[in-house]
């Protein structure tokens, strides 16, 4: 996604097209643009970059079809492509331009090819490496040190400074262990031991995170690029307009529908905001929504796309690898919490629309049925994706079938046809998009390596238990806060990986099951995208809406308040993750849905009329009591909700009666 940049970098103009926006400004013969998804300045878009990007995607598409290579070779090749492309694409700093910067970046790219090519050449040794046992030579150490500097620099360019600071902090923690506070203290390791642990073997840079990026994630990124080039984004937008646009507060509900669908294959909250927000936010503003509220709706809905099956965000694939279950199991378990999340957003949008009297979309802006029928074939790849996952195919194989289906259905209409030129363009787009994920998961591997050798996860358990005095709810709140801090300013996938390494042991020590514990960490890693002070999704939405960042961010938190509550629901009631008997699952869904609706009404203070404080407190307390399973809390919660609803109903009847009396007094003949 791009913003048009003029010569002085002074003009930001949102743009969009079927490929997700690829316009660019020209500067001295080079194409310079700002990439929304990563938030960094992109250098140039020349033939060499496009060829490398096509080769990057082509390699992964080939291995997706014919089978992946041995893990160390697949992962090392993936990282070589990502880092070399990263130095060619991303500028070292905002004002860098001209031939000198290009030459320097070219030298860094070649250096990266040599340094990380060393790991490709020695991939067999990596697969057999025994840390602190296999001889670690001087050249191994020097290559690892240079690789660290190159990796941190390309990460700074592509994802920003926060993730680099996280990586440096963990490296220093590994070295300075003896000087840490008592609860975080460890014996400490030399720089040689640290370099060996994170680069040699499969517990660091070349561990599970980059393994998932080099297999599942990249193939889904390729699928997303093909789907966009075939016009799938436009089809989803039209479908959202048709389903939700005719109802009260139509544009906001369109944003919720389209963002949830778009998010099933984008995997990025920020990309989701720019993919759908450039259409939905202006629509909302035009019909009367305040700019900050319009931006908040889009940010919250787009963030939820990462928890919406069947694809969800890239972190879900990592979770499947960590837990050791099929991805389809993760997607199925996430379905009910995702529905509860979007139910809460729909309620918030509807209540706000009712409160300020907003209407539906004008009839002339609604798509016609015949137009939808002309695009319905573009939904077939998503159906194939869901079906292949449901019947037990691997996520990678399912994505390959979805790509092939996209190519096939695009042939039905000329304007959507994936010609050889469009296919190459899609491969190039996917290759460039994969760079950020490749380098980010590599840095998260640095964190995993340090956690493995230092045992900081067990130390964190001690911290949580000490601060919470063993009270489970306080422990969960501390874990939630820690997740926000660890996930601040880094991509969702990386945030989840870091949190899983540090926080999951604490949740397990409290007696929570593996899947609910991982899902708890996953949800709060996702929510960090709308939680100030960083809130990348809210920042992107505020730029489009022309609203203040903090006002948009805090409104997004209010709209997504259920996202902060749903994890507590399913960690205390695993039935919401489809764990338990069918009857228990049904009862849990019913009580949770009632609780979500009650909380939404109580928090937003509107149901046909403006609510007073007493019924609002009843509805909020009743909704919260339905979170914890058990017939006592459910009974008390339902009693409070019914009491609050009775007070509201009585007040509504009284107001209607007063209006009738006033009307009769103004018209003595009884003609109202």
């Amino acid at each position: 996604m791009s913003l048009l940049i003029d010569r002085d970098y002074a003009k930001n103009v949102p743009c969009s097209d079927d490929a997700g926006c690829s316009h660019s400004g020209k500067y001295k013969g080079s194409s310079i643009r700002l990439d929304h998804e990563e938030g960094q300045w992109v250098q140039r878009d020349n033939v060499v970059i496009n060829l490398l990007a096509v080769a990057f995607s082509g390699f992964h598409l080939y291995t997706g079809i014919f089978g992946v290579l041995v893990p160390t070779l697949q992962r090392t090749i993936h990282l070589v492509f990502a880092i070399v492309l990263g130095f060619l694409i991303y500028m070292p700093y905002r004002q860098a331009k001209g031939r000198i910067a290009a030459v320097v970046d070219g030298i860094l790219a070649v250096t990266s090819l040599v340094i990380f090519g060393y790991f490709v050449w020695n991939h067999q040794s990596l697969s057999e490496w025994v840390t602190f046992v296999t001889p670690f030579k001087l050249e191994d150490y020097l290559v690892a040190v240079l690789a660290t500097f190159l990796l941190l620099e390309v990460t700074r360019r592509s994802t920003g400074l926060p993730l680099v600071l996280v990586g440096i902090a963990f490296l220093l923690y590994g070295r300075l262990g003896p000087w840490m506070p008592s609860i975080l203290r460890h014996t400490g390791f030399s720089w040689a031991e640290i370099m060996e642990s994170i680069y040699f073997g499969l517990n660091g840079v070349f561990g599970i995170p980059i393994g998932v990026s080099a297999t599942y994630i990249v193939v889904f990124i390729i699928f997303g690029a093909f789907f966009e080039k075939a016009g799938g984004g436009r089809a989803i937008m039209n479908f959202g307009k048709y389903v939700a646009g005719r109802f009260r507060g139509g544009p906001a509900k369109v944003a919720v529908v389209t963002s949830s669908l778009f998010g099933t294959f984008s995997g990025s909250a920020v990309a989701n905001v720019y993919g759908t927000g450039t259409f939905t936010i202006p629509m909302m503003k035009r019909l009367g929504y305040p700019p900050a509220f319009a931006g908040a709706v889009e940010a919250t809905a787009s963030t939820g796309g990462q928890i919406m099956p069947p694809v969800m965000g890239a972190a879900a694939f990592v979770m499947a690898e960590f837990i050791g279950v099929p991805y389809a199991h993760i997607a199925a378990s996430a379905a009910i919490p995702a529905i509860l999340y979007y139910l809460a957003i729909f309620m918030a949008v509807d209540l706000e629309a009712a409160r300020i009297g907003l209407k539906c979309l004008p009839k002339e802006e609604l798509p016609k049925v015949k137009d939808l029928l002309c695009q319905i074939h573009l939904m077939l790849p998503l159906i194939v994706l869901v079906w292949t996952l449901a019947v037990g195919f691997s996520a990678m194989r399912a994505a390959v079938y979805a790509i092939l289906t996209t190519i096939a259905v695009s042939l039905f209409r000329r304007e959507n046809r994936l010609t050889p030129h469009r296919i190459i363009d899609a491969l190039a787009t996917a290759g460039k998009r994969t760079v950020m994920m490749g380098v980010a998961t590599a840095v998260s591997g640095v964190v995993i390596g340090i956690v493995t050798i230092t045992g900081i996860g067990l130390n964190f358990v001690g911290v949580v238990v000490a601060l919470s005095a063993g009270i489970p709810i306080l422990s969960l709140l501390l874990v939630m806060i820690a997740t926000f801090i660890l996930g601040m300013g880094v991509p969702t996938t990386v945030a989840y990986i870091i949190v899983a390494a540090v926080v999951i042991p604490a949740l397990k020590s409290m007696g929570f099951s593996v899947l609910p514990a991982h899902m708890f960490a996953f949800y709060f890693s996702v929510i960090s995208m709308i939680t100030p002070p960083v809130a990348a999704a809210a920042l992107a939405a505020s730029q489009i809406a022309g609203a203040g960042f903090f006002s948009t961010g805090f409104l997004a938190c209010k709209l997504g308040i259920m996202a902060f509550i749903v994890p507590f629901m399913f960690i205390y009631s695993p039935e919401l993750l489809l764990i338990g008997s069918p009857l228990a699952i049904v009862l849990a869904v019913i009580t949770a849905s009632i609780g979500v609706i009650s909380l939404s009404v109580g928090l937003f203070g509107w149901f046909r009329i403006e609510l007073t404080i007493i019924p609002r407190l009843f509805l909020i307390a009743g909704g919260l009591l339905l979170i914890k399973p058990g017939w006592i809390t459910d009974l008390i919660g339902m009693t409070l909700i019914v009491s609050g609803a009775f007070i509201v109903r009585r007040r509504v009847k009284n107001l209607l009666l007063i209006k009738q009396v006033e009307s009769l007094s103004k018209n003595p003949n009884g003609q109202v």
Side-chain angles (χ1 to χ4, degrees):
M1 312 303 168
S2 313
L3 287 180
L4 192 63
I5 310 297
D6 71 354
R7 289 179 181 269
D8 298 318
Y9 305 108
K11 185 179 180 181
N12 294 332
V13 182
C15 60
S16 61
D17 57 25
D18 64 332
C21 196
S22 60
H23 307 303
S24 59
K26 301 292 182 181
Y27 190 91
K28 293 186 179 179
S30 297
S31 176
I32 298 174
R33 63 188 178 86
L34 176 65
D35 192 300
H36 287 322
E37 185 169 350
E38 289 83 27
Q40 300 295 313
W41 290 84
V42 177
Q43 189 172 351
R44 58 186 63 78
D45 193 18
N46 57 35
V47 175
V48 174
I49 290 173
N50 283 318
L51 286 175
L52 284 173
V54 170
F56 191 13
S57 297
F59 163 72
H60 287 292
L61 192 57
Y62 174 85
T63 57
I65 295 172
F66 297 104
V68 298
L69 308 177
V70 294
T72 48
L73 186 57
Q74 181 86 14
R75 297 171 188 182
T76 51
I77 292 175
H78 177 77
L79 187 55
V80 167
F81 267 117
I83 290 184
V84 170
L85 268 172
F87 277 116
L88 293 177
I89 292 174
Y90 294 102
M91 289 184 176
Y93 51 91
R94 183 170 179 170
Q95 288 77 22
K97 53 186 179 290
R99 293 183 179 179
I100 295 178
V103 170
V104 171
D105 290 343
I107 293 172
L108 289 172
V110 173
T111 305
S112 300
L113 179 62
V114 174
I115 295 298
F116 285 91
Y118 180 84
F119 298 111
V120 177
W121 182 261
N122 292 286
H123 74 275
Q124 186 64 38
S125 299
L126 297 182
S127 62
E128 300 170 354
W129 197 276
V130 179
T131 307
F132 305 150
V133 174
T134 303
F136 187 58
K137 296 174 288 189
L138 178 61
E139 57 264 35
D140 296 332
Y141 175 62
L142 294 176
V143 167
V145 170
L146 288 173
T148 301
F149 284 109
L150 291 168
L151 177 59
L152 292 176
E153 169 58 15
V154 77
T155 302
R156 181 191 67 81
R157 297 183 184 200
S158 60
T159 68
L161 196 57
L163 182 55
V164 176
L165 296 178
V166 169
I168 293 173
F170 272 86
L171 287 172
L172 292 175
Y173 177 72
R175 183 68 185 90
L176 304 176
W179 296 277
M180 290 287 111
S182 59
I183 203 162
L184 297 176
R185 187 174 301 156
H186 61 88
T187 56
F189 298 88
S190 68
W191 286 118
E193 290 172 326
I194 290 172
M195 291 297 107
E196 180 186 358
S197 66
I198 64 177
Y199 281 102
F200 291 83
L202 297 177
N203 286 324
V205 168
F206 300 110
I208 287 178
I210 201 168
V212 176
S213 176
T215 51
Y216 304 127
I217 295 174
V218 64
V219 180
F220 274 90
I221 291 174
I222 295 170
F223 165 59
F226 273 77
F227 190 72
E228 289 175 16
K229 293 292 181 184
R234 288 196 306 271
I236 285 177
M237 179 61 67
N238 287 334
F239 177 76
K241 284 184 179 180
Y242 183 80
V243 170
R246 62 189 70 248
F247 298 107
R248 178 173 64 192
K253 291 175 181 175
V254 170
V256 176
V257 172
T258 56
S259 295
S260 64
L261 293 173
F262 190 83
T264 61
F265 64 86
S266 76
S268 166
V270 180
N272 206 354
V273 168
Y274 282 102
T276 59
T278 51
F279 300 97
T280 58
I281 290 175
M283 277 197 299
M284 285 187 268
K285 290 173 65 178
R286 191 172 68 249
L287 264 73
Y289 278 106
F293 189 85
V297 169
E298 181 58 47
T300 311
S302 294
T303 298
Q306 295 182 92
I307 59 176
M308 174 60 73
V311 179
M312 305 169 65
F317 297 103
V318 182
M319 189 195 306
E321 289 292 316
F322 279 168
I323 299 176
V325 299
Y327 170 74
H329 181 69
I330 299 294
S333 300
I336 294 173
I339 291 170
L340 293 175
Y341 177 87
Y342 276 105
L343 173 62
I345 299 176
F346 257 104
M347 287 296 300
V349 165
D350 186 71
L351 293 170
E352 181 68 11
R355 188 180 68 82
I356 61 180
L358 296 182
K359 307 295 183 182
C360 60
L361 274 175
K363 190 173 182 179
E364 58 272 13
E365 292 189 24
L366 295 174
K368 298 178 181 178
V369 175
K370 66 176 184 179
D371 295 329
L372 291 177
L373 293 176
C374 290
Q375 295 178 320
I376 197 169
H377 62 286
L378 294 172
M379 296 296 104
L380 187 59
L382 295 178
I383 296 172
V384 168
L385 184 64
V386 174
W387 179 78
T388 49
L389 287 171
V391 298
F393 284 93
S394 70
M396 192 173 184
R397 181 63 60 181
V400 168
Y401 286 146
I403 292 169
L404 297 176
T405 306
T406 303
I407 296 173
V409 300
S410 73
L411 302 176
F412 294 171
R413 296 180 67 84
R414 176 172 294 181
E415 62 268 25
N416 298 328
R417 194 165 297 161
L418 287 174
T419 60
H421 175 75
R422 282 189 176 182
I423 289 175
I424 291 173
D425 195 17
L427 289 172
T429 300
K432 295 169 190 174
R433 290 178 179 176
T434 308
V435 169
M436 185 273 290
M437 187 59 65
V439 299
T441 51
V443 174
S444 67
V446 172
V447 175
I448 296 293
I450 298 299
V451 169
T452 301
I453 63 174
T454 61
I456 187 177
L458 297 177
N459 291 338
F460 185 79
V461 172
V463 173
V464 170
V465 172
L467 292 177
S468 65
I471 302 173
I473 189 66
L474 291 180
S475 300
L476 289 173
L477 289 171
L478 288 172
V479 169
M480 178 187 75
I481 294 169
T483 303
F484 286 148
I485 295 171
L486 292 171
M488 192 177 295
V490 301
T492 301
T493 304
V494 180
Y496 165 71
I497 293 169
I498 296 172
V499 168
V502 178
V503 168
I504 296 300
L507 293 175
K508 288 182 180 178
S509 72
M510 298 175 217
F512 296 112
S513 302
V514 175
L515 179 58
H518 276 270
M519 200 69 78
F520 187 88
F522 171 60
Y523 257 69
F524 283 116
S525 300
V526 170
I527 300 168
S528 65
M529 299 301 291
I530 58 170
T531 309
V534 180
L539 176 62
S542 67
Q543 290 174 346
I544 297 175
F549 163 58
F550 279 101
S551 58
T552 303
F554 287 120
L555 271 173
C557 288
K558 182 180 178 181
L559 285 171
I561 188 67
M562 283 310 303
F564 297 86
I565 297 174
V566 166
F568 290 91
M569 283 181 159
F570 62 64
I571 204 162
Y572 277 116
S573 180
E575 291 83 4
L576 294 176
L577 300 178
L578 304 182
I579 299 173
S581 65
L583 178 60
I585 292 171
V586 170
L587 290 175
V589 171
I590 292 173
T591 56
S593 300
I594 295 172
V596 166
I597 294 171
S598 174
L599 275 169
S600 298
V601 174
L603 288 169
F604 282 87
W606 181 271
F607 186 75
R608 298 182 66 183
I609 59 171
E610 185 118 18
L611 304 187
T612 57
I613 188 65
I614 298 300
R616 289 183 67 176
L617 290 175
F618 276 25
L619 293 170
I620 292 172
L624 290 173
L625 284 170
L626 291 180
I627 292 175
K628 196 174 187 304
W631 66 270
I632 295 178
T633 54
D634 287 350
L635 183 62
I636 297 173
M638 288 300 299
T639 302
L640 289 172
I641 291 172
V642 170
S643 300
F646 177 77
I647 295 172
V648 173
R649 183 174 179 273
R650 182 177 171 185
R651 186 159 177 261
V652 169
K653 289 182 67 175
N654 289 339
L655 288 175
L656 289 175
L657 183 61
I658 291 171
K659 286 183 179 180
Q660 289 178 353
V661 171
E662 289 177 349
S663 298
L664 288 172
S665 63
K666 293 178 181 178
N667 190 347
N669 295 326
Q671 297 178 355
V672 180

